[in-house]
Amino acid sequence: EYPCALPQHWSIAQEIYGGDAKQANKKAQRVLLNGAESLVFKIPTNDIAVETLLAGIDLSQVPIHLDLQFLSASYVKKISDFVKDKPHNLQLHTDIIGNLTRTGNWFYNLNEDHRILGEILSQSDFPALSIDATLYQNAGANIVQQLAYSLAHANEYLNHFDAKFVLPINFKVAVGGNYFFEIAKLRALRLLWDTLASEYGISSDCRIIAQPTKRNKTLYDYNTNMLRTTTECMSAILGGADTVINLPYD
């Protein structure tokens, strides 16, 4: 019997760039009518009004992921105040180590980033931390390396912060074209997380957000892209992802 419970339901998510709150909200309303079950907003700056971005969306029914491209405890406080008296399924994606890995720089510096992240984690009544494991797959790491780097990435947070603030934790994973091995990768991730968490004396499942890799996509043959993203999404579903975000075919 598989020792880690797989989710009983997975949701189809649409990723939306939130640079213009009104336009992003219009697109969100449209994609929800077209079948999306969850929304992922990429928010580039701290002047995006969250109340405009989420206007008219039933937060009790639609899981919302806010992927902040900056680090600001005051902005997270605004989000907390906005949803405080509302039933919601809101998740914040903050990853200072992921930003360091992607750009080569902290948002501010090592100490300040950890201080601000600690403030965010302590004041949020919703999940606020994620591990951006897509970085490793899209950079060319093999499956074993992806899992190893992702768990080392998570271990840094567990080692630094009190686990009660870190949990629950999200892993954003890119799924490649090796169909059965990618299914195994997601299942192995849950097993490895369970092993890591037990070392810290905690018992908490991880949440997996999966999307197709960008590494094997082409600018010139969208039919090939559609075939590849189809099988990659199937791997994500059968591997036990909680949320699946498909990529645009073009």
Side-chain angles (χ1 to χ4, degrees):
E1 184 180 348
Y2 191 69
C4 294
L6 297 179
Q8 297 300 304
H9 172 76
W10 58 274
S11 61
I12 304 165
Q14 173 78 36
E15 189 172 82
I16 298 172
Y17 181 69
D20 182 315
K22 287 186 178 179
Q23 291 302 316
N25 179 262
K26 286 181 181 178
K27 183 172 183 179
Q29 303 277 8
R30 187 168 66 251
V31 301
L32 288 172
L33 288 174
N34 289 337
E37 299 167 319
S38 181
L39 298 171
V40 180
F41 289 103
K42 294 184 82 72
I43 304 179
T45 61
N46 61 4
D47 58 357
I48 304 300
V50 69
E51 61 272 15
T52 303
L53 190 67
L54 301 179
I57 297 173
D58 186 350
L59 301 182
S60 66
Q61 297 297 318
V62 181
I64 303 292
H65 301 262
L66 299 179
D67 190 352
L68 306 188
Q69 308 296 290
F70 55 92
L71 188 64
S72 170
S74 60
Y75 189 82
V76 176
K77 179 69 165 57
K78 290 179 183 177
I79 297 171
S80 296
D81 291 342
F82 175 71
V83 301
K84 180 171 57 178
D85 300 322
K86 302 177 178 68
H88 65 84
N89 185 354
L90 182 72
Q91 298 178 53
L92 192 68
H93 295 268
T94 314
D95 186 6
I96 57 175
I97 297 173
N99 184 70
L100 175 66
T101 306
R102 184 184 301 102
T103 67
N105 297 292
W106 298 99
F107 287 104
Y108 299 100
N109 57 60
L110 184 150
N111 291 330
E112 183 67 3
D113 278 25
H114 281 78
R115 184 194 68 77
I116 295 172
L117 179 58
E119 188 177 342
I120 289 171
L121 295 176
S122 63
Q123 73 182 14
S124 302
D125 60 353
F126 42 76
L129 186 67
S130 71
I131 307 298
D132 189 356
T134 66
L135 292 164
Y136 307 121
Q137 209 287 339
N138 286 324
N142 65 37
I143 287 175
V144 174
Q145 290 169 332
Q146 291 168 52
L147 291 170
Y149 300 156
S150 299
L151 268 292
H153 192 149
N155 183 64
E156 287 297 311
Y157 289 125
L158 289 173
N159 195 43
H160 187 87
F161 296 105
D162 190 319
K164 70 180 180 181
F165 295 135
V166 172
L167 303 176
I169 198 165
N170 284 300
F171 284 88
K172 294 164 61 181
V173 180
V175 178
N178 195 341
Y179 184 73
F180 292 108
F181 282 77
E182 292 293 336
I183 295 171
K185 179 177 81 176
L186 297 191
R187 297 194 174 207
L189 177 57
R190 290 192 187 275
L191 290 170
L192 291 168
W193 165 255
D194 188 58
T195 301
L196 176 62
S198 68
E199 290 297 313
Y200 286 88
I202 55 180
S203 178
S204 175
D205 196 13
C206 62
R207 300 177 180 180
I208 297 177
I209 302 169
Q211 62 184 131
T213 179
K214 296 177 181 177
R215 195 165 177 83
N216 62 7
K217 303 305 180 292
T218 171
L219 292 173
Y220 304 110
D221 191 349
Y222 56 82
N223 289 318
T224 297
N225 288 344
M226 291 176 73
L227 291 170
R228 288 175 177 168
T229 56
T230 296
T231 61
E232 287 156 6
C233 285
M234 288 173 66
S235 292
I237 294 162
L238 296 174
D242 298 274
T243 305
V244 178
I245 310 168
N246 203 356
L247 293 178
Y249 69 91
D250 59 356

